């Protein structure tokens, strides 16, 4: 089996993430990791918190805590919430780790030796009130492109245009709100991405299987306007990876740190070393270095579309430019945005349902199912409470939950809490087995292709097939005239439950485990042979009627939550 390396975009440390962040990277990555493991593949699934840069400093200042203390605390919070959502990371690291600091400085040294880093004199915003240079995210103002009044100095959240602080209209300091800003001379390091344009272009062109969203964004940055630009990789901050060439000081760069978008992607690699150092694995280099065995690794990244430019251009430029045998990404699965009731989710502005709040009101599987079945793959998707209620009630409660409840309770009432022995399968049963064999193959094809919404639709159809069979054959009616035939119908229907559990586990792992526990199945493998899987529960196999898997969302609950989350999070 191929070894699979999976990373999801590492979330900023500045607060608890919202559902849009979750569905744009971590959740679909977890879906894919769980699926691959279930198929018998060796998987290393890594994520971390992105702890450097202005967002961390600003959030720590707002919380009234030292930045290192704040980051340590929020890493713990994010790790616990990730666990609550069933995100099956092999390791959840930190970009502030010693491993990432050392590796980032090593990459800088390698790029310098290859002639890909240059020192650039530039003018930068200085705040007299704050008594310091202001990195791009410490400056906000009106976007010159769309007129959005809260654009940041690096990018406009509204139109996504990349900006420099000097571009903003009516700029102000995010530290103090001061407007007495001026530009002064300073010196920074730049990664000479422009010299690698052709190499990057050829590499992107070779990725013919990538989603259109991924390649279109990458090519736009490569070719539109002035094309790929050299990128500053240092900032005037105190919190971050100190600028060094390996272990050596970098003359003229004293007191500066590497730009967060230089060191953050390197954390993907460092995270694997953290995984080993934490005693969870061994030989991290075999996953990341082609001279150490990583040639047989397939590397897949998951991210929102706003992260695509750095993962298709800047990080690959770092990897390629080092002229060292590091593993490049094989496939980038990117997502559009999930919006919230007609507006945007926003961590910095506190709009929408956040991950901790979601877990307080409903089980994680409820959210996992809705988010994945509505994943914003080909276009933006919108979360509304009405759609959420309707989808959860229909798919999880009526289709899946109702099937399991009906057949187990009927078996208990007419036979016992054991799989009936009597009866032979007839045409309807053989037709269902054949139909499910085809449907499972389609489900696998969609999952292999990382088509998240299509996978959910195929899984939903597999669930529905069981209900349609029960509705058509009606064993409760058959039992009155032919108990043996009804026993055969019940036996097949009961065998659908462990099949459903295994297929559903990547989407709804907690419910899947409850299904297996109720049916007293401990070693259900992937149904590579569907007819054999549907004979797993032998006649006489004892089970317990599982508890209700999913409660319906009432109109009162929906209205209460819609009102509760209508305003800004405090």
């Amino acid at each position: 089996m191929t070894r699979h390396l999976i990373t999801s975009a590492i979330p900023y440390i500045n607060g608890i993430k919202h559902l849009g962040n979750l569905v744009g990277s971590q959740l679909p990555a977890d879906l894919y990791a769980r699926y691959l493991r279930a198929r018998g593949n060796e998987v290393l699934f890594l994520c971390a918190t992105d702890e450097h840069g202005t967002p961390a400093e600003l959030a720590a200042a707002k919380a009234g805590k030292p930045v290192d203390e704040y980051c340590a605390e929020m890493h713990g919070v994010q790790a616990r919430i990730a666990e609550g959502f069933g995100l099956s990371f092999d390791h959840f690291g930190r970009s502030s780790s010693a491993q990432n600091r050392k590796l980032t400085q090593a990459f800088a040294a390698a790029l310098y030796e290859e002639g890909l880093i240059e020192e650039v004199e530039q003018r930068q915003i200085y705040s007299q009130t704050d008594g310091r240079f202001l990195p791009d995210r410490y400056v906000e103002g009106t976007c010159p492109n769309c007129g959005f009044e809260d654009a940041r100095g690096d990018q406009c959240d509204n139109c996504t245009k990349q900006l420099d602080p000097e571009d903003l209209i009516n700029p102000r300091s995010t530290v103090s709100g001061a407007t007495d800003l001026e530009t002064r001379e300073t010196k920074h390091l730049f990664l000479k991405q422009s010299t690698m344009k052709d190499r990057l272009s050829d590499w992107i062109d070779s990725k013919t299987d990538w989603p259109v969203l991924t390649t279109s964004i990458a090519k736009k940055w490569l070719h539109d306007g002035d094309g790929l630009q050299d990128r500053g990789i240092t900032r005037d901050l105190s919190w971050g990876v100190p600028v060094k060439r390996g272990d050596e000081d970098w003359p003229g760069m004293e007191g500066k740190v590497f730009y967060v978008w230089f060191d953050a992607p390197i954390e993907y690699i460092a995270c694997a070393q953290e995984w080993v150092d934490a005693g969870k694995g061994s030989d991290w280099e075999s996953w990341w270095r082609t001279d150490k065995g990583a040639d047989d690794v397939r590397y897949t990244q998951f991210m929102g579309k706003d992260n695509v430019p750095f993962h298709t251009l800047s990080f690959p430029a770092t990897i390629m430019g080092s002229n060292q045998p590091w593993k490049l990404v094989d496939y980038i699965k990117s997502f559009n945005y999930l919006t919230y009731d007609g507006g945007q989710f926003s961590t910095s502005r506190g709009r929408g349902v956040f991950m901790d709040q979601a877990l307080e009101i409903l089980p994680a599987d409820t959210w996992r199912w809705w988010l994945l079945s509505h994943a914003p793959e080909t276009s933006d998707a919108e979360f509304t409470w009405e759609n959420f209620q309707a989808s959860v009630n229909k798919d999880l409660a009526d289709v899946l939950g109702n099937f399991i409840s009906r057949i187990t309770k009927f078996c208990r009432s007419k036979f016992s809490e054991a799989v009936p022995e009597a009866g032979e399968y007839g045409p309807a049963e053989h037709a269902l087995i054949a139909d499910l064999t085809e449907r499972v193959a389609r489900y696998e094809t969609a999952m292999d292709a990382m088509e998240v919404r299509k996978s959910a639709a195929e899984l939903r159809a597999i669930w529905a097939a069981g209900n349609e069979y029960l509705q058509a054959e009606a064993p409760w009616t058959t039992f009155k005239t032919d108990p043996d035939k009804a026993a055969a119908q019940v036996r097949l229907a009961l065998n659908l439950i462990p099949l459903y559990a295994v297929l559903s586990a990547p989407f709804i792992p907690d419910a899947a485990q409850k299904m297996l526990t109720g049916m007293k199945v401990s070693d259900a493998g992937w149904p590579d042979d569907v007819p054999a899987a549907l004979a797993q529960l032998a006649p006489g196999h004892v089970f317990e009627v599982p508890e209700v898997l999913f409660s319906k969302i009432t109109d009162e609950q929906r209205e209460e939550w819609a009102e509760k989350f209508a305003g800004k999070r405090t």
Side-chain angles (χ1 to χ4, degrees), residues 22 38 118 129 149 171 277 312 392 405 436 438-439 477 519:
L22 179 62
E118 65 176 344
T129 298
E149 294 184 353
D277 292 346
T312 55
V392 168
S405 180
L436 287 173
E438 294 179 2
R439 290 187 183 279
T477 301
M519 301 311 292

Side-chain angles (χ1 to χ4, degrees), residues 421-500:
E421 298 184 20
E424 300 295 330
Y425 289 169
E429 288 69 47
H430 291 300
L432 176 61
I433 293 170
D435 178 50
L436 287 173
T437 299
E438 294 179 2
R439 290 187 183 279
V440 169
R442 290 200 292 270
Y443 174 63
E444 292 170 348
T445 298
M447 289 288 274
D448 287 333
M450 285 169 273
E451 295 178 307
V452 178
R453 291 180 75 146
K454 186 175 181 180
S455 298
E458 295 290 357
L459 180 59
R460 186 190 296 111
I462 291 170
W463 296 341
N467 274 298
E468 291 163 3
Y469 169 76
L470 283 187
Q471 202 64 30
E473 298 306 307
W476 38 87
T477 301
T478 307
F479 182 80
K480 298 174 183 177
T481 57
D482 192 344
D484 285 357
K485 183 177 181 180
Q489 293 168 343
V490 170
R491 186 166 67 250
L492 178 57
L494 288 173
N495 268 286
L496 290 178
I497 297 176
L499 175 77
Y500 286 178

